[in-house]
Amino acid sequence: MLEVRNLMVFFENALAINDLSLEVEAGEFVGVIGSNSAGKTTLMNSLSGLIIDMRIKEKRRGGERITIYGNIYYQGDDITETKPSDRVKKGIVLSRERHPVFPESSVLENLKIAGYLKKRSEVLETIEYVFELFPALKNLRSRKAGFLSGGEQQMLAIGMALVVRPQLLLLDEPLLGLSPMMQQAVLEAIVRLRASSGITVLLSEQFARPVLPLIDRGYVVENGMLAMYGTGQELMDNPEIKSAYFGIY
Ligand SMILES: Nc1ncnc2c1ncn2[C@@H]1O[C@H](COP(=O)(O)OP(=O)(O)OP(=O)(O)O)[C@@H](O)[C@H]1O
Ligand SMILES: [Mg+2]
């Protein structure tokens, strides 16, 4: 479904993604594991196309040069230079790191805003589905999003991505800043989401421990480079992963 081939992303002269290749098959749950500044967000922005917008903006304001090499294929098409809105139309939807929601709007309004390009009946149907997935959100439907806890906002952010009806859902660090209990709640919802909808999920995370048991396959990224890959089980059994991600934390 998705194939990244020899991707390189430079910010000026700094290499954020270094010759990275990966694949995601339809229906898979794939993890990208990496510590701070490994390149997770840059990868997600490259997949969603946000990097294309960033490159245009930086060029306009005479800022740093963003250079992209390599190719990204989605369902057989080369989308490396496809703009983000067209990628959304193809079904690639990113839920960004640190969950930007509209703080002055209610939970329900946020979900409706996210679906502004979709048919109203479709949106209302998906919102019901989101509430089934995250029952906590249903009870908070009238609350201003700015008053939600971090975990609740994260659920809302994922819900907003779902309203767009993704085929490939990209989640950039959905567990960031959440308590272990909230992390479990978000992960369980992702597992339920896959079971009930068959959506393909690519999730980036620095916390390997809760993620590895759930993913089909994972890629470990260090300094923008692929350090290791394998099934969730293989990665869990890997001694290097054990010491790097399961040791002290
Ligand atoms: N707009 C930018 N300009 C310059 N350098 C950048 C920019 N965005 C990212 N970088 C650099 O690229 C590298 C990868 O950053 P990125 O944000 O992709 O990492 P990350 O894995 O998402 O980290 P985190 O876990 O902290 O979110 C870092 O060294 C970072 O400083
Ligand atoms: Mg990041």
Side-chain angles (χ1 to χ4, degrees):
M1 181 180 219
L2 177 79
E3 189 188 349
V4 177
R5 213 182 282 163
N6 307 111
L7 186 68
M8 309 254 269
V9 179
F10 287 88
F11 294 104
E12 211 63 63
N13 298 321
L15 192 52
I17 298 285
N18 188 354
D19 198 22
L20 191 66
S21 297
L22 61 84
E23 270 174 62
V24 181
E25 302 289 341
E28 269 191 317
F29 183 9
V30 175
V32 173
I33 308 295
S35 53
N36 283 123
S37 74
K40 301 180 296 294
T41 298
T42 306
L43 173 66
M44 290 299 188
N45 289 345
S46 303
L47 298 178
S48 70
L50 283 181
I51 195 96
I52 306 275
D53 281 359
M54 288 165 69
R55 189 177 60 187
I56 293 169
K57 267 190 209 140
E58 287 289 340
K59 195 169 179 188
R60 238 183 246 148
R61 66 175 195 101
E64 64 192 354
R65 197 161 24 97
I66 301 178
T67 324
I68 306 161
Y69 296 105
N71 297 86
I72 301 169
Y73 300 94
Y74 181 69
Q75 290 174 335
D77 297 333
D78 188 332
I79 57 159
T80 318
E81 292 296 329
T82 303
K83 57 181 183 183
S85 53
D86 288 339
R87 295 196 205 191
V88 170
K89 281 185 203 141
K90 286 175 181 284
I92 305 175
V93 179
L94 169 66
S95 175
R96 284 161 64 189
E97 191 182 17
R98 295 182 190 90
H99 46 257
V101 296
F102 300 101
E104 290 299 321
S105 303
S106 73
V107 166
L108 188 60
E109 283 160 358
N110 265 279
L111 291 166
K112 284 183 181 165
I113 294 167
Y116 76 105
L117 285 176
K118 296 276 163 185
K119 268 199 247 133
R120 196 181 142 77
S121 58
E122 247 183 42
V123 171
L124 294 179
E125 197 183 298
T126 321
I127 289 177
E128 278 314 307
Y129 174 65
V130 169
F131 285 155
E132 269 169 44
L133 208 55
F134 298 111
L137 277 188
K138 186 168 190 168
N139 301 326
L140 297 166
R141 61 203 295 159
S142 308
R143 178 160 318 166
K144 276 191 185 177
F147 293 142
L148 299 178
S149 74
E152 291 160 354
Q153 282 194 25
Q154 189 55 53
M155 292 178 186
L156 176 57
I158 296 174
M160 288 168 75
L162 291 178
V163 170
V164 190
R165 300 237 173 166
Q167 288 173 17
L168 172 62
L169 176 62
L170 307 172
L171 299 169
D172 190 11
E173 290 208 62
L175 308 184
L176 193 71
L178 303 188
S179 68
M181 220 176 82
M182 266 301 182
Q183 292 188 351
Q184 275 314 320
V186 168
L187 284 171
E188 274 165 26
I190 296 169
V191 169
R192 279 203 307 276
L193 165 72
R194 274 191 73 226
S196 61
S197 69
I199 289 179
T200 310
V201 180
L202 180 65
L203 168 149
S204 84
E205 231 356 287
Q206 51 175 308
F207 300 113
R209 195 200 289 266
V211 171
L212 291 184
L214 303 177
I215 54 176
D216 298 315
R217 292 183 308 109
Y219 294 85
V220 179
V221 177
E222 286 169 11
N223 298 317
M225 267 186 293
L226 184 62
M228 252 174 278
Y229 70 96
T231 63
Q233 188 63 49
E234 282 165 356
L235 291 176
M236 271 192 289
D237 294 341
N238 185 300
E240 280 177 58
I241 300 270
K242 274 187 186 157
S243 67
Y245 290 92
F246 288 72
I248 331 146
Y249 125 82

